[in-house]
Amino acid sequence: MGRAGYSTGNAKGWLLAVIALVLVAAVGAAAYWYAVKKEGSSGGKTASKALMEVKSSKDIKNSYDVIVVGTDPEGVAAAVSAARNGMKTLLVDGKDRTILGGLMTEGWLNSIDMNYDPAKGMLGKHDIMNKGIFSEWYGQIEGDSFDITTAANAFYSMVLKEKNIDLLMKTKSIEPSIAKTTDKTTVTGITVTKADGLKQSIQAKAVIDATQDGDIGDLAGVAFTHGREDLADVKSRMAVTAVFRLTNITPERWKQFGKTILAEDKGQLKYGINEMSLWGFDKMQDYPAVNKERVRMRGLNGGRQNDNTMLVNALQIFGVDPFDPKSKQEAQQIAKDELPHVLAYLKKSYPDFEGVELDGIAPELYVRESRHMVGEYRLSIIDLLENRDQWDRIAFGGYPVDIQRTSPTDNGAVVIDPDKYAIPFRSIVPLKVDGLLVVGRAASYDTLPHGSARVIPVGMAEGEAAGAAAKIAIDQNMTFRQMSASKETIAKLQDMLNKQGMDLKPYSLKPAPFMENKSYEGLKTAISLGLATGGYKNEFSLDSASNQQRMINMLNGIRKFKPAVLTGNPAAVIPNEKEPQKQPLSLDIAAGMIASLLKLDISKGDAISVLQSKGYLTKQTVDGISKKQELTNGDTYMLIHDAYKQLNAAK
């Protein structure tokens, strides 16, 4: 989560920022520039307010219609939605928190990765894509960055207004209650260990897992992949961030930030600022970490607070096990040890920060990636690439597919930037386990689309949908799985959600030009395997010339998917070639690389004919290559597509 241009931002808001810069420069009002807001910003900096004390309900009953586990934004949305639909609801926290909002408040991640609809509204602006409870909460905070006290109070106020919600905080443990038959597992409630050590079994007609990591689903036996497992990279996951706070971020200093950015940016969109947020400061990416094996800095993502402080999402920590408390404690200590050096480098690189001091680290780490549920439908990167609608849509996404670094030597990537895609109800319904919905970043997404769908507006929309779905399932005596297969019932759910303020109308977007390229099938395969990226502009350069090194890299990239079969060395075909990244790639050489990777015997024929005879290369692909001495990127993707398809077909 973060800002445009630094692997975590929404590039769609840039045009507005450029126009604002030009207008400000024209009128000579650079001092005012800092106050320019992004589309959809709801307010601005206000006076600090007292933090509301969150109290558990006095009487926690033994039975509810709906139990929502997790007090992150997704859980609040789910509980409020269920309660408003007449369901007696228990919202329960299991992380020893004192306030609601989870990652947004206890994790200090106070900048929202917004989704804006590609179509402009009546006023010529791009509307917020996720309406309903998210927009209701968003209207109570300062903008795309917010004061965490404001946010926490807004979450709690929404819960307090609902008479159907009981709240249970500071439980020591939460475990699902399960009923099993020979062919069915059903979650029937939870057993909690309260702060005083007493246990209580609480039954429910429906349970919603809104924990960040799908904890209840995991304990109930729901299938998950972990980290980048579906990309055959089992041990990798995106970096964890320790958000830190800086003091002395006065109004005068904020104005100076705006002036400096205006002077230095020169229309290159390396930096950005509005009334509550700043992003960029790219020199920080060159920060020489003291703990080089575990730490790297990225460009700053800063969210202003109402007490003249700023929360910063920029310090990335690697090798953290999100399920191990000791590993997370170690990460906190790594951050504490590194941050004094970070601040010194920041002041040296950007004199505007002189006088700014460190003032703490968030109580909770920002963990981007842990479990990915295997649900009735698993959202794919092709869903995003093609801006697909879904018949059972419950939410929309449009944020760039932001894959943060997985190690200090990795630079991360923006895989694609979709315009709009739908999240299906099936993606919050786990396989084989009934009585349970899983919302938020642990929902049923492949690793790559998770880089976009994990954002808070999407998760809150899923939570709202889950709360409403519980009402329908209970009233109609249906399982969530039965709901997920019934177009009639899903239509009722969508109608209910629209009446609650969401906007779930069907849509259709014009296919992007790259989808009409002759190499599109190859591109889809390459993107799905993590071998191709398009960045913020979806530039895949399909018709641009490839080179020998690029082909070697891609073939080595698919090795991890079939390590027992792909044991050869594709570079062996060009052992004496100097600077292969500058050498054109012919079909003969490319075919030889594939044959070498597969360790095929080509002594009795050329590599092309051998590959064709064994099904690793089709005649259609060969005939479609117009320049066989100078392959394009699209041509190479088609070669990868053919070879990988046959690898999967072979027994």
Side-chain angles (χ1 to χ4, degrees):
M1 300 181 185
R3 292 290 170 262
Y6 288 87
S7 300
T8 57
N10 195 330
K12 299 181 180 73
W14 286 0
L15 180 59
L16 191 71
V18 173
I19 294 171
L21 288 173
V22 173
L23 289 174
V24 169
V27 299
Y32 176 73
W33 182 84
Y34 83 99
V36 175
K37 299 176 187 177
K38 280 189 175 181
E39 294 177 275
S41 181
S42 63
K45 191 174 183 296
T46 60
S48 295
K49 297 180 180 179
L51 181 64
M52 298 171 68
E53 182 183 0
V54 176
K55 297 180 179 180
S56 293
S57 302
K58 292 182 180 179
D59 180 23
I60 301 300
K61 300 170 182 61
N62 292 324
S63 179
Y64 289 87
D65 294 319
V66 179
I67 294 175
V68 179
V69 183
T71 55
D72 278 83
E74 298 90 340
V76 173
V80 169
S81 179
R84 288 178 180 176
N85 282 291
M87 299 287 96
K88 189 59 182 175
T89 304
L90 175 65
L91 175 60
V92 56
D93 167 70
K95 288 199 170 184
D96 200 33
R97 292 165 170 166
T98 59
I99 55 179
L100 304 186
L103 180 60
M104 300 278 98
T105 53
E106 295 278 16
W108 293 3
L109 190 69
N110 72 324
S111 294
I112 308 171
D113 294 332
M114 299 293 291
N115 290 316
Y116 293 105
D117 200 286
K120 291 187 177 182
M122 292 180 62
L123 299 178
K125 292 185 176 181
H126 294 279
D127 292 333
I128 291 175
M129 197 179 287
N130 304 105
K131 305 285 178 46
I133 291 174
F134 168 74
S135 291
E136 181 181 332
W137 170 77
Y138 186 66
Q140 300 177 57
I141 62 174
E142 289 82 3
D144 54 5
S145 288
F146 53 83
D147 184 274
I148 58 174
T149 296
T150 304
N153 288 346
F155 283 127
Y156 191 39
S157 295
M158 293 173 74
V159 169
L160 284 178
K161 288 178 182 178
E162 303 303 328
K163 294 181 180 180
N164 282 327
I165 296 180
D166 284 346
L167 178 62
L168 178 58
M169 301 291 289
K170 290 183 169 292
T171 61
K172 291 184 176 180
S173 68
I174 307 172
E175 296 181 356
S177 300
I178 298 170
K180 283 191 174 184
T181 62
T182 54
D183 60 346
K184 190 175 179 181
T185 298
T186 303
V187 176
T188 60
I190 59 173
T191 298
V192 297
T193 303
K194 297 181 179 179
D196 59 8
L198 294 177
K199 286 192 174 184
Q200 182 176 354
S201 293
I202 308 169
Q203 297 301 299
K205 298 171 184 175
V207 175
I208 299 171
D209 184 347
T211 63
Q212 294 180 18
D213 303 315
D215 295 330
I216 300 303
D218 182 62
L219 291 170
V222 171
F224 289 89
T225 60
H226 297 79
R228 297 168 62 85
E229 183 180 343
D230 60 324
L231 290 175
D233 194 0
V234 179
K235 295 182 179 180
S236 292
R237 60 175 64 92
M238 286 189 280
V240 164
T241 288
V243 177
F244 58 91
R245 182 167 56 211
L246 299 176
T247 63
N248 298 325
I249 307 296
T250 62
E252 293 73 23
R253 190 183 300 278
W254 200 260
K255 290 180 181 179
Q256 184 56 48
F257 287 154
K259 291 179 182 179
T260 300
I261 289 172
L262 184 63
E264 293 186 1
D265 193 25
K266 302 185 187 305
Q268 298 303 306
L269 296 171
K270 293 182 179 179
Y271 312 93
I273 191 169
N274 61 29
E275 191 168 350
M276 294 299 295
S277 308
L278 64 77
W279 58 98
F281 297 86
D282 57 337
K283 295 176 186 176
M284 295 308 296
Q285 297 190 82
D286 298 324
Y287 163 72
V290 174
N291 191 339
K292 292 180 171 56
E293 300 300 316
R294 301 293 300 276
V295 169
R296 269 196 73 176
M297 279 291 290
R298 45 164 287 173
L300 302 188
N301 279 332
R304 196 178 182 191
Q305 300 288 278
N306 291 335
D307 60 355
N308 291 336
T309 64
M310 178 173 68
L311 302 178
V312 181
N313 160 20
L315 181 69
Q316 297 184 327
I317 306 171
F318 306 95
V320 181
D321 183 349
F323 309 119
D324 182 356
K326 290 184 179 179
S327 180
K328 290 192 285 188
Q329 289 173 6
E330 179 192 30
Q332 291 274 11
Q333 188 60 51
I334 289 172
K336 290 176 183 177
D337 293 342
E338 194 76 34
L339 280 170
H341 305 284
V342 170
L343 183 61
Y345 187 85
L346 177 63
K347 291 179 178 180
K348 180 180 178 181
S349 302
Y350 297 98
D352 287 348
F353 282 89
E354 192 60 47
V356 169
E357 300 300 334
L358 287 170
D359 187 39
I361 300 171
E364 292 185 16
L365 293 170
Y366 170 21
V367 177
R368 293 177 172 85
E369 183 175 34
S370 55
R371 297 186 181 103
H372 304 298
M373 184 176 73
V374 180
E376 287 291 327
Y377 185 90
R378 181 101 162 183
L379 194 72
S380 75
I381 191 64
I382 306 305
D383 289 326
L384 278 61
L385 183 69
E386 297 184 347
N387 295 303
R388 289 177 180 169
D389 195 7
Q390 303 280 350
W391 66 269
D392 56 340
R393 71 195 75 80
I394 56 170
F396 295 119
Y399 195 72
V401 176
D402 167 28
I403 306 300
Q404 291 285 300
R405 296 179 182 121
T406 59
S407 72
T409 58
D410 178 34
N411 287 319
V414 172
V415 180
I416 58 172
D417 189 359
D419 288 322
K420 186 175 186 177
Y421 60 91
I423 304 289
F425 177 71
R426 289 163 292 160
S427 285
I428 65 172
V429 180
L431 283 177
K432 299 181 180 179
V433 175
D434 288 324
L436 180 70
L437 296 174
V438 178
V439 299
R441 75 173 191 224
S444 186
Y445 317 138
D446 284 344
T447 293
L448 292 177
H450 165 268
S452 169
R454 62 190 170 91
V455 300
I456 292 299
V458 172
M460 288 186 71
E462 290 176 350
E464 182 170 0
K471 165 68 173 176
I472 293 177
I474 292 169
D475 283 355
Q476 298 192 8
N477 195 27
M478 299 178 73
T479 67
F480 292 129
R481 194 170 326 286
Q482 289 169 335
M483 275 190 69
S484 72
S486 170
K487 292 190 175 182
E488 179 182 359
T489 308
I490 293 298
K492 290 180 180 179
L493 172 62
Q494 292 165 338
D495 183 59
M496 179 185 293
L497 292 170
N498 285 329
K499 289 177 179 177
Q500 289 182 193
M502 295 183 75
D503 183 1
L504 295 174
K505 293 190 296 289
Y507 70 93
S508 179
L509 299 181
K510 182 180 178 181
F514 61 78
M515 292 173 61
E516 298 173 356
N517 190 283
K518 66 179 182 179
S519 303
Y520 180 55
E521 286 301 312
L523 175 65
K524 289 196 293 185
T525 297
I527 287 179
S528 297
L529 297 176
L531 303 177
T533 62
Y536 288 111
K537 296 183 179 180
N538 296 326
E539 293 177 333
F540 302 108
S541 303
L542 295 176
D543 296 321
S544 297
S546 189
N547 61 71
Q548 295 176 2
Q549 187 62 57
R550 186 181 177 97
M551 188 66 181
I552 292 170
N553 293 344
M554 285 198 295
L555 292 174
N556 284 330
I558 67 170
R559 187 193 306 276
K560 63 191 177 199
F561 292 97
K562 301 287 182 179
V565 179
L566 304 177
T567 58
N569 177 17
V573 176
I574 50 169
N576 300 316
E577 190 71 78
K578 293 182 179 179
E579 298 185 306
Q581 71 275 15
K582 295 182 180 180
Q583 302 302 321
L585 178 69
S586 69
L587 178 58
D588 286 333
I589 291 177
M593 290 178 177
I594 297 171
S596 181
L597 180 66
L598 289 161
K599 284 195 169 181
L600 297 179
D601 181 7
I602 59 172
S603 61
K604 297 181 180 179
D606 64 275
I608 297 173
S609 61
V610 171
L611 290 175
Q612 284 185 295
S613 69
K614 295 184 177 294
Y616 290 103
L617 183 59
T618 66
K619 183 177 185 299
Q620 182 180 2
T621 292
V622 173
D623 292 345
I625 297 174
S626 56
K627 295 182 179 179
K628 292 181 173 51
Q629 297 303 311
E630 189 176 347
L631 271 56
T632 64
N633 293 323
D635 294 333
T636 62
Y637 293 154
M638 288 303 301
L639 297 179
I640 294 292
H641 170 76
D642 285 359
Y644 191 73
K645 184 176 180 180
Q646 179 61 19
L647 281 169
N648 283 332
K651 294 182 181 180

